Amino acid sequence: MTTRRVFLKNGALAVVSLGFAPSFLARTAFAQGRSSRAKLLVAIFQRGAVDGLNVVVPFGEHDYYRARPSIAIPRPRSGDDAALDLDGFFGFNPRLNALKPFWDRRELAIVHACGSPDSTRSHFDAQDYMESATPGVKSTSDGWLNRYLQARRLETSTPFRAVSLTPQLPRMLQGPAPALALNQVGAFGIRGGQASDAIGASFEAEYAAAADRILNGTGREAFDAIKMLKIADPSRYQPEHGAEYPRSPFGQALKQIAQLAKADVGLEVAFADVGGWDTHVNQGAAQGQLAGRLDDFARAIAALAVDLGDRMTDTVILTMSEFGRAVNENGNRGTDHGHGNAMIVLGGGVRGGRVLGRWPGLAPDRRHDGRDLAVTTDFRDVFAEVAVRHLGLANTSAVFPRYEVMPANFPGLLA
C-alpha cells in the first residue's frame, strides 16, 4: 500500500501522496458555489535586489555617469543601447522596450527612490521585511497580503482568491487566510500515470472524509477546487490579442496567471517571483547579465497585460525588489547591495506616464550612508495605496501594523 498523509502548513491544506504531484489547497469554502470577477493584483518579486538605477536610468544626473564608468546606460538618442527617454530626466533601460508602449499610453508609472526604512543589506532579512511589511521586525507571523485577505473578506470568495505561481507559498501570502501555491496550473490535482482518473477517484473518496474531520468540513472544497481547474482546461489555453509569452519559467508563470484570471475562478491576488538580480560581477549595461534578465522580465509582463485585454481595467501589476544596488560600480564591473530602488506599477486606474516620488540625487552627500540611493518613499505607502485605492481596503491598521498609513504619503499612483 502507498503511504499517504494529510497535513497543514502556512494556512493551506497540502495533500501529499507518494508518487503523486503535491497539491497546496486552500482552507476555505465556495461561497454559493460560484466565482466572481473582482479587482486583481499581480505582485511580482524580483529576488536578489535588482539595480533600479540601471532599470529606470537617471540619465539627467551627472553623478550617475561619474559613478558608473563601464556599466552606465548611455543617454537617449546616442545609439541602439541608449536609454529610452521617459520624461527628459529618467529613461528605461532599452531592454524594457516591451513596456514603453504602456508608459506612452499612461498606463504605467514608476516610483523611484522607494524602499524600506530599515537599512539591512541582507537579502533574507530585507525580503522578509518587505513581504511582512514590518521593516526591522522579524517576529511577524504573517505576510501583508495574507493580512489583507483576512481584513477584507468577500462573500463570493473561492479557493482561488489568492494564488502564487511558485513551488512554495511566499512569505507575503503566508498566514491564516486561504492561499494556494501552484507550481503548474495543469499539475494541480491527483496524478498517477495512466491510472490517474481511477487513482484520483479513489484518493478523493478515501481522503475527503479524513480532510473533513481535520478541517471541519472543508475537505470536499479541496476537490471542488481541482474540478474548477479542470473546467478551465488550462491545457488548451491560448493567449489572446497577439500576446507572446517568453518560454522562461517567469513567462510561463505569468501565462498561467492569465489563465486563472480569464477562467473566472475568483482570482483576486496573484504572485510570481523571478531571481537572478544579484549582479556583483559583470553586470553589464544595455547588454549582458542584467539586460538579459530585463528582456525576459519586460516581455513577460507586457504579454500578460496584452493577453488580459480589457481585464486590465480591473488589474494592477506591481513589481518590487528587496533593495537596490550601490550607486558606484565595484571593481568587478558589478554593483553591491544598496538601499533605494524603483517599483513599476501597470494597470487599470494607474495615473501613468510619470516617475513618482521625490528624487534625492546621487551626489555623494545626498546618498544613504554615503554610498546608496536614499529612500524617500516608504514601500508600505505604495502597498497601502494599491490596497486602498485598487483593492478597496477600508481599514489599513490590521494590514500594516506599527505604521500609520496616511493618504497624504501615497505616491499618487491611482485616482
Side-chain angles (χ1 to χ4, degrees):
M1 291 288 294
T2 300
T3 300
R4 305 178 180 116
R5 57 195 173 97
V6 178
F7 66 96
L8 293 173
K9 183 178 181 182
N10 294 335
L13 165 64
V15 182
V16 174
S17 174
L18 185 63
F20 302 143
S23 301
F24 297 85
L25 308 178
R27 289 185 300 167
T28 188
F30 290 95
Q32 302 175 356
R34 63 185 182 184
S35 64
S36 63
R37 180 170 171 179
K39 295 288 187 180
L40 172 61
L41 169 63
V42 180
I44 297 172
F45 208 117
Q46 294 171 273
R47 299 198 185 276
V50 66
D51 180 19
L53 293 174
N54 269 21
V55 175
V56 181
V57 182
F59 67 81
E61 177 89 44
H62 295 298
D63 285 291
Y64 168 75
Y65 290 99
R66 280 195 283 265
R68 299 183 166 206
S70 68
I71 65 168
I73 307 297
R75 291 181 175 87
R77 294 172 292 279
S78 60
D80 293 340
D81 289 338
L84 306 176
D85 192 0
L86 296 177
D87 62 2
F89 185 90
F90 291 104
F92 264 159
N93 186 299
R95 298 302 166 253
L96 293 180
N97 183 59
L99 295 179
K100 183 63 160 51
F102 301 99
W103 170 274
D104 294 339
R105 294 196 296 268
R106 299 186 179 276
E107 298 168 359
L108 182 151
I110 296 155
V111 185
H112 220 322
C114 183
S116 173
D118 189 273
S119 58
T120 183
R121 292 190 176 92
S122 160
H123 290 296
F124 179 83
D125 287 345
Q127 289 181 27
D128 184 80
Y129 296 157
M130 182 165 278
E131 294 195 69
S132 67
T134 56
V137 180
K138 295 185 178 182
S139 60
T140 308
S141 60
D142 48 12
W144 79 272
L145 277 176
N146 194 280
R147 293 196 298 275
Y148 161 76
L149 297 170
Q150 297 171 55
R152 189 169 181 270
R153 300 182 181 277
L154 300 179
E155 294 181 0
T156 57
S157 63
T158 78
F160 294 97
R161 186 185 180 197
V163 176
S164 175
L165 269 296
T166 53
Q168 307 259 340
L169 201 64
R171 179 79 167 88
M172 196 175 294
L173 282 171
Q174 291 179 15
L180 299 175
L182 307 178
N183 202 18
Q184 291 286 333
V185 169
F188 186 69
I190 311 304
R191 289 192 166 189
Q194 295 181 349
S196 288
D197 291 342
I199 291 177
S202 174
F203 185 93
E204 178 175 347
E206 184 174 352
Y207 286 98
D212 281 347
R213 289 194 299 271
I214 296 171
L215 301 176
N216 300 318
T218 63
R220 181 60 56 182
E221 281 77 27
F223 292 101
D224 287 343
I226 294 173
K227 292 173 183 176
M228 287 180 74
L229 275 190
K230 287 182 178 178
I231 292 171
D233 197 6
S235 65
R236 298 185 181 181
Y237 177 77
Q238 293 294 326
E240 295 182 288
H241 316 297
E244 295 184 7
Y245 291 91
R247 298 186 65 83
S248 65
F250 179 61
Q252 295 307 296
L254 296 198
K255 179 180 178 181
Q256 291 178 89
I257 288 174
Q259 292 176 339
L260 290 172
K262 292 197 284 185
D264 288 322
V265 294
L267 184 65
E268 184 182 2
V269 174
F271 178 92
D273 60 14
V274 56
W277 306 103
D278 199 14
T279 51
H280 287 281
V281 179
N282 294 328
Q283 175 176 307
Q287 303 289 338
Q289 183 183 171
L290 176 66
R293 303 301 297 147
L294 288 175
D295 180 71
D296 175 64
F297 175 76
R299 289 191 298 113
I301 292 175
L304 174 62
V306 169
D307 192 6
L308 289 178
D310 62 3
R311 289 176 182 267
M312 281 301 295
T313 303
D314 302 307
T315 301
V316 163
I317 301 170
L318 171 65
T319 76
M320 65 201 74
S321 194
E322 62 264 34
F323 46 70
R325 316 294 296 187
V327 176
N328 287 352
E329 66 177 79
N330 61 28
N332 295 313
R333 295 190 174 184
T335 50
D336 296 322
H337 297 176
H339 194 46
N341 213 337
M343 287 184 172
I344 296 174
V345 188
L346 166 64
V350 172
R351 299 169 63 199
R354 300 180 302 156
V355 178
L356 301 167
R358 180 175 61 83
W359 181 247
L362 298 181
D365 62 346
R366 305 290 296 174
R367 300 177 192 176
H368 173 77
D369 286 348
R371 50 167 278 172
D372 303 325
L373 176 65
V375 168
T376 60
T377 299
D378 192 303
F379 71 83
R380 289 171 292 187
D381 288 320
V382 179
F383 290 174
E385 181 171 1
V386 171
V388 171
R389 293 180 175 168
H390 176 64
L391 294 176
L393 179 67
N395 187 344
T396 60
S397 59
V399 179
F400 302 99
R402 308 178 188 90
Y403 187 67
E404 184 180 3
V405 172
M406 295 185 292
N409 291 334
F410 290 171
L413 289 161
L414 297 153

